[in-house]
Amino acid sequence: MNEPSWRKPTGIFLILLLILVWAVIVATASSWIGDQHMLVQLLIYVVAGIVWIAPLKPLLAWMETGRWRH
């Protein structure tokens, strides 16, 4: 049986930290975003809701394999 890896709890912590930092960035910009046209706001929030996912693939790979790339 394999010994439990420290990478998974560390990775979970990093994912939560990423979400927190991204939420603070978007919330900080919300007053500026709120001044924009409704369709521009929609576009910004859709992009902001998708962009934070990009760093997850290498992070999840590292959590599973110990390497940043497959």
Side-chain angles (χ1 to χ4, degrees), residues 2-70:
N2 292 341
E3 192 173 315
S5 172
W6 58 271
R7 288 189 311 266
K8 288 188 181 183
T10 302
I12 291 169
F13 173 77
L14 291 173
I15 290 169
L16 293 174
L17 183 63
L18 171 70
I19 293 169
L20 175 67
V21 168
W22 192 246
V24 167
I25 290 169
V26 173
T28 301
S30 67
S31 64
W32 174 80
I33 296 169
D35 292 338
Q36 306 305 312
H37 186 272
M38 185 185 298
L39 293 176
V40 175
Q41 289 181 39
L42 176 65
L43 179 65
I44 291 170
Y45 283 123
V46 166
V47 169
I50 295 171
V51 166
W52 71 273
I53 298 172
L56 289 184
K57 185 174 182 179
L59 180 58
L60 292 171
W62 173 79
M63 287 170 62
E64 287 296 320
T65 65
R67 293 176 290 151
W68 287 101
R69 296 180 184 199
H70 279 278

